Amino acid sequence: MLIRKPPAIPNSEITPEQIYRDRRRFMTAGAAGLATAALSPILQAGLQPDDTVTPESIVTQYNNFYEFGTDKSDPAAYAHEMTTDPWTVTVSGEANKTGEFAFEDIIKGLDVEERIYRFRCVEAWSMVVPWMGIPLKDVLAQFEPTGNAKFVEFETLYRPDEMRGQRGFFSSIDWPYVEGLRLDEAYHPLTLMVTGLYGKELPNQNGAPWRLMVPWKYGFKSIKSIVSIRFTEREPVNTWKQLQASEYGFYANVNPKVSHPRWSQASERRLPNSLFSSNRMPTLMFNGYEEEVGHLYAGMDLRKYY
Ligand SMILES: Nc1nc2c(c(=O)[nH]1)N[C@H]1C(S)=C(S)[C@@H](COP(=O)(O)O)O[C@H]1N2
Ligand SMILES: [Mo]
């Protein structure tokens, strides 16, 4: 095998395997501005042998963040208008410790880890992204959810002054953007509260200062720029389900066998694609994380709970 020095290899050609081998490069990147960058075995979960990390320029310039517009280029163009410091998070519902918290106080003392995840949008494109983040379980446990908490609901910032998509007269979304997880999904070790990517602070267009990342679910579950965490007994009503329940459900697990009513989910377009290659590849059950998360849905009819 031909071994080239990392600078000679464009990011798009680096396989996750090469990245694990070159931990120094990764640790150096990860250490910037972070107290801890722990590497754990779970890093490798789900990744397929020929997965390559998507170039940073694609990850940060091809986005869905409807608060800034519906074009893929809108978030990179306009998300800088959002103020992310100071950032306050309201914690409410079925937990012992509720109230308003400064973002820094919530994450203080929690370890930030590097995780390379496959990322699949319901629109049938996908990427592989090196995220930095904190296991969501560690974030949530400090609020001591009560025995009644069965779900957790999140809300994105609502600030039309700074989020031009929320001012839109034509927007059919009932802001703020809402998402939720069952508590056992939220506590799964793969579920991450993301605070960075490519070893850097999270760019606004990717959901600064923190956003969810649930790698076995369609991207719309991974809500950005979170300002509210609520522990509930009942299943939250998430934005896309509220908008079109026949097309988008609460679970939104990646599943090649359950088509979207308007397109197949059996394959996906791995970005970047070019004039010469559409980079289509088969979609994997639970986006490749079946071994890790399949048990969460044992006995459930995934056609019904889509
Ligand atoms: N608040 C908010 N969160 C959101 C969205 C959004 O429009 N608003 N889009 C979702 C969708 S559909 C996807 S695919 C991912 C995109 O994340 P990325 O831009 O970091 O790739 O964010 C998700 N989180
Ligand atoms: Mo998406």
Side-chain angles (χ1 to χ4, degrees), residues 150-164:
K150 300 284 181 286
F151 298 89
V152 57
E153 178 186 285
F154 303 93
E155 279 178 18
T156 294
L157 179 68
Y158 176 68
R159 195 180 286 159
D161 284 357
E162 298 182 1
M163 302 172 108
R164 59 179 62 213

Side-chain angles (χ1 to χ4, degrees), residues 64 119-123 125 218-220:
N64 274 335
F119 179 60
R120 170 64 153 81
C121 174
V122 74
E123 296 162 341
W125 52 262
Y218 291 121
F220 69 82

Side-chain angles (χ1 to χ4, degrees), residues 58-134:
I58 305 277
V59 177
T60 60
Q61 290 171 52
Y62 184 96
N63 301 103
N64 274 335
F65 199 168
Y66 278 24
E67 282 83 344
F68 298 103
T70 54
D71 284 354
K72 296 287 184 273
S73 58
D74 284 337
Y78 303 119
H80 65 90
E81 293 170 0
M82 168 175 68
T83 310
T84 59
D85 186 16
W87 193 266
T88 306
V89 179
T90 305
V91 178
S92 61
E94 293 291 342
N96 293 326
K97 297 192 173 160
T98 57
E100 298 214 330
F101 299 86
F103 170 65
E104 314 79 77
D105 292 339
I106 295 180
I107 63 166
K108 202 181 330 183
L110 300 179
D111 286 346
V112 174
E113 298 178 28
E114 183 102 58
R115 299 271 182 91
I116 302 175
Y117 283 162
R118 311 177 97 236
F119 179 60
R120 170 64 153 81
C121 174
V122 74
E123 296 162 341
W125 52 262
S126 65
M127 306 185 189
V128 177
V129 185
W131 304 105
M132 317 288 304
I134 301 162

Side-chain angles (χ1 to χ4, degrees), residues 20 40-48 113-119 129 131-140 181-194 211-217 222 253 285-297:
Y20 303 137
S40 64
I42 204 163
L43 251 172
Q44 311 213 25
L47 291 173
Q48 304 302 306
E113 298 178 28
E114 183 102 58
R115 299 271 182 91
I116 302 175
Y117 283 162
R118 311 177 97 236
F119 179 60
V129 185
W131 304 105
M132 317 288 304
I134 301 162
L136 182 61
K137 178 182 199 279
D138 297 347
V139 173
L140 298 184
L181 295 171
R182 239 170 40 193
L183 209 58
D184 59 342
E185 297 176 320
Y187 272 51
H188 190 282
L190 284 172
T191 307
L192 211 59
M193 195 64 117
V194 162
R211 62 90 61 85
L212 201 62
M213 188 43 59
V214 195
W216 70 94
K217 292 178 179 285
S222 292
N253 291 315
M285 189 63 200
F286 296 111
N287 201 26
Y289 299 93
E290 182 165 21
E291 207 176 297
E292 288 80 10
V293 304
H295 67 275
L296 294 173
Y297 311 102

